[in-house]
Amino acid sequence: FILAAVKAIRDYPIFNASLDGTTIRHHSNINIGLAVALEEGLMVPVIPKCEELNFLGICRNTRNLAQRVKSGNISADELQGSTFCISNYGVFGNIFGTPIINQPNVAILGVGAVKKKPVVRVTEYGDAIVARSMVFLSLGIDHRLIDGAGGGRFLQRMVEYLENLNTATLL
Protein backbone atom coordinates (compact mmCIF):
# COMPACT_ATOMS: atom_id res chain seq x y z
CA PHE A 1 0.00 0.00 0.00
CA ILE A 2 2.88 2.35 0.75
CA LEU A 3 4.48 1.67 -2.63
CA ALA A 4 1.15 2.21 -4.43
CA ALA A 5 0.62 5.45 -2.48
CA VAL A 6 4.07 6.72 -3.42
CA LYS A 7 3.42 5.95 -7.11
CA ALA A 8 -0.01 7.64 -6.98
CA ILE A 9 1.50 10.69 -5.24
CA ARG A 10 4.01 10.98 -8.06
CA ASP A 11 1.05 11.12 -10.47
CA TYR A 12 -0.89 13.55 -8.25
CA PRO A 13 1.72 15.68 -6.43
CA ILE A 14 -0.91 17.87 -4.72
CA PHE A 15 -1.33 14.95 -2.28
CA ASN A 16 2.25 15.62 -1.15
CA ALA A 17 1.61 19.27 -0.33
CA SER A 18 0.67 21.08 2.84
CA LEU A 19 -1.02 24.34 3.76
CA ASP A 20 0.82 26.98 5.73
CA GLY A 21 -1.88 29.56 6.34
CA THR A 22 -2.95 30.37 2.79
CA THR A 23 0.35 29.28 1.22
CA ILE A 24 0.55 25.91 -0.53
CA ARG A 25 3.87 24.16 0.14
CA HIS A 26 4.82 21.49 -2.39
CA HIS A 27 7.26 18.97 -0.89
CA SER A 28 10.07 17.46 -2.95
CA ASN A 29 10.30 14.32 -0.81
CA ILE A 30 7.48 11.87 -0.10
CA ASN A 31 7.63 11.27 3.66
CA ILE A 32 5.05 8.68 4.65
CA GLY A 33 3.65 8.77 8.18
CA LEU A 34 2.36 5.43 9.48
CA ALA A 35 -0.22 5.31 12.25
CA VAL A 36 0.96 2.74 14.82
CA ALA A 37 -1.49 1.67 17.53
CA LEU A 38 -0.37 1.56 21.15
CA GLU A 39 -2.42 0.92 24.27
CA GLU A 40 -2.41 4.66 25.01
CA GLY A 41 -3.27 5.77 21.48
CA LEU A 42 -1.57 6.28 18.13
CA MET A 43 1.93 7.40 17.22
CA VAL A 44 2.85 8.32 13.65
CA PRO A 45 6.50 7.60 12.82
CA VAL A 46 7.73 8.78 9.44
CA ILE A 47 9.54 6.94 6.65
CA PRO A 48 11.47 9.74 4.93
CA LYS A 49 12.19 9.94 1.21
CA CYS A 50 10.00 6.99 0.21
CA GLU A 51 10.39 7.95 -3.44
CA GLU A 52 14.03 6.78 -3.15
CA LEU A 53 13.17 3.38 -1.65
CA ASN A 54 12.34 0.12 -3.40
CA PHE A 55 9.78 -2.34 -2.05
CA LEU A 56 12.27 -4.09 0.23
CA GLY A 57 13.51 -0.77 1.63
CA ILE A 58 9.94 0.30 2.41
CA CYS A 59 9.25 -3.06 4.12
CA ARG A 60 12.39 -2.86 6.25
CA ASN A 61 11.74 0.74 7.27
CA THR A 62 8.11 -0.03 8.13
CA ARG A 63 9.00 -3.01 10.31
CA ASN A 64 11.85 -1.18 12.02
CA LEU A 65 9.78 1.89 12.84
CA ALA A 66 6.78 -0.09 14.08
CA GLN A 67 8.97 -2.23 16.36
CA ARG A 68 10.76 0.79 17.78
CA VAL A 69 7.50 2.67 18.39
CA LYS A 70 6.05 -0.32 20.25
CA SER A 71 9.23 -0.74 22.34
CA GLY A 72 9.34 3.00 23.14
CA ASN A 73 12.65 3.42 21.34
CA ILE A 74 11.68 6.16 18.89
CA SER A 75 12.97 9.71 18.79
CA ALA A 76 10.81 12.82 18.54
CA ASP A 77 12.47 13.67 15.22
CA GLU A 78 11.16 10.40 13.74
CA LEU A 79 7.60 11.47 14.55
CA GLN A 80 7.77 14.66 12.48
CA GLY A 81 7.89 15.66 8.85
CA SER A 82 5.26 13.46 7.24
CA THR A 83 3.83 14.72 3.95
CA PHE A 84 1.18 11.97 3.57
CA CYS A 85 -0.14 9.47 6.14
CA ILE A 86 -1.50 5.94 6.09
CA SER A 87 -3.68 4.42 8.80
CA ASN A 88 -4.32 0.68 8.88
CA TYR A 89 -7.49 0.13 10.90
CA GLY A 90 -7.64 -3.30 9.24
CA VAL A 91 -5.25 -4.69 11.87
CA PHE A 92 -8.26 -4.70 14.21
CA GLY A 93 -10.37 -6.65 11.69
CA ASN A 94 -12.31 -3.56 10.58
CA ILE A 95 -13.07 -3.47 6.89
CA PHE A 96 -13.85 0.26 6.84
CA GLY A 97 -12.99 3.36 8.81
CA THR A 98 -12.66 7.11 8.52
CA PRO A 99 -9.09 8.31 8.97
CA ILE A 100 -8.52 11.86 10.24
CA ILE A 101 -5.89 14.03 8.54
CA ASN A 102 -2.62 14.44 10.40
CA GLN A 103 -2.14 18.15 9.71
CA PRO A 104 -0.35 19.85 8.05
CA ASN A 105 -0.78 16.91 5.62
CA VAL A 106 -3.66 17.38 3.19
CA ALA A 107 -4.59 13.71 2.91
CA ILE A 108 -4.57 10.39 4.75
CA LEU A 109 -5.20 6.91 3.38
CA GLY A 110 -7.17 4.40 5.43
CA VAL A 111 -6.67 0.69 4.79
CA GLY A 112 -9.19 -1.90 5.94
CA ALA A 113 -8.75 -5.60 6.61
CA VAL A 114 -8.10 -7.77 3.57
CA LYS A 115 -10.92 -10.34 3.49
CA LYS A 116 -12.21 -12.89 1.00
CA LYS A 117 -15.40 -11.67 -0.69
CA PRO A 118 -17.57 -12.99 -3.53
CA VAL A 119 -16.85 -11.10 -6.73
CA VAL A 120 -18.39 -11.36 -10.20
CA ARG A 121 -15.79 -11.96 -12.91
CA VAL A 122 -16.48 -11.94 -16.62
CA THR A 123 -15.05 -15.04 -18.32
CA GLU A 124 -15.20 -16.39 -21.86
CA TYR A 125 -17.99 -18.70 -20.64
CA GLY A 126 -20.05 -15.94 -19.02
CA ASP A 127 -20.15 -14.38 -15.59
CA ALA A 128 -18.78 -16.33 -12.64
CA ILE A 129 -18.89 -15.65 -8.92
CA VAL A 130 -15.45 -16.23 -7.43
CA ALA A 131 -13.79 -15.59 -4.08
CA ARG A 132 -11.17 -12.84 -4.13
CA SER A 133 -9.17 -11.05 -1.50
CA MET A 134 -10.68 -7.58 -1.24
CA VAL A 135 -9.86 -4.45 0.74
CA PHE A 136 -11.71 -1.17 1.27
CA LEU A 137 -9.63 1.99 1.04
CA SER A 138 -10.77 5.35 2.35
CA LEU A 139 -9.23 8.76 1.92
CA GLY A 140 -9.47 11.76 4.19
CA ILE A 141 -8.72 15.00 2.34
CA ASP A 142 -8.42 18.66 3.21
CA HIS A 143 -11.06 20.23 0.97
CA ARG A 144 -9.31 23.58 1.12
CA LEU A 145 -6.79 22.11 -1.33
CA ILE A 146 -8.23 18.87 -2.79
CA ASP A 147 -11.82 18.21 -3.82
CA GLY A 148 -13.70 14.90 -3.95
CA ALA A 149 -13.01 14.45 -7.66
CA GLY A 150 -9.27 14.70 -7.06
CA GLY A 151 -9.58 12.25 -4.17
CA GLY A 152 -11.50 9.81 -6.36
CA ARG A 153 -8.89 10.00 -9.12
CA PHE A 154 -6.09 9.44 -6.58
CA LEU A 155 -7.82 6.36 -5.11
CA GLN A 156 -8.51 4.97 -8.58
CA ARG A 157 -4.83 5.33 -9.47
CA MET A 158 -3.88 3.50 -6.25
CA VAL A 159 -6.26 0.68 -7.18
CA GLU A 160 -4.66 0.47 -10.65
CA TYR A 161 -1.20 0.18 -9.08
CA LEU A 162 -2.35 -2.43 -6.56
CA GLU A 163 -4.24 -4.55 -9.10
CA ASN A 164 -1.38 -4.47 -11.61
CA LEU A 165 1.44 -5.03 -9.15
CA ASN A 166 4.23 -7.05 -10.76
CA THR A 167 5.52 -9.11 -7.83
CA ALA A 168 8.43 -10.39 -9.94
CA THR A 169 9.99 -6.92 -9.92
CA LEU A 170 9.46 -6.03 -6.26
CA LEU A 171 12.73 -7.29 -4.79
Side-chain angles (χ1 to χ4, degrees), residues 5 11 20 33-34 48 58 81 83 93-94 98 165:
D11 295 338
D20 183 6
L34 298 172
I58 289 171
T83 59
N94 301 316
T98 306
L165 188 64

Side-chain angles (χ1 to χ4, degrees), residues 14-109:
I14 196 67
F15 284 83
N16 199 49
S18 60
L19 284 172
D20 183 6
T22 58
T23 303
I24 301 170
R25 303 236 183 262
H26 295 272
H27 304 288
S28 56
N29 296 117
I30 301 171
N31 303 328
I32 302 290
L34 298 172
V36 177
L38 301 170
E39 288 297 322
E40 18 340 294
L42 291 175
M43 291 187 96
V44 184
V46 178
I47 303 173
K49 299 180 179 179
C50 285
E51 75 281 0
E52 296 177 3
L53 299 173
N54 63 13
F55 180 74
L56 186 58
I58 289 171
C59 290
R60 286 181 175 157
N61 275 276
T62 300
R63 179 180 168 91
N64 177 279
L65 280 174
Q67 286 177 334
R68 289 190 303 110
V69 163
K70 290 179 180 183
S71 69
N73 191 18
I74 195 90
S75 73
D77 287 344
E78 293 173 295
L79 299 170
Q80 300 177 42
S82 68
T83 59
F84 183 88
C85 286
I86 299 175
S87 181
N88 178 9
Y89 41 78
V91 300
F92 303 108
N94 301 316
I95 61 168
F96 197 79
T98 306
I100 304 298
I101 299 168
N102 185 24
Q103 294 198 349
N105 298 175
V106 295
I108 182 170
L109 176 71

Side-chain angles (χ1 to χ4, degrees), residues 133-144:
S133 293
M134 303 293 289
V135 65
F136 288 99
L137 302 177
S138 57
L139 188 68
I141 54 177
D142 187 333
H143 283 268
R144 295 176 298 167

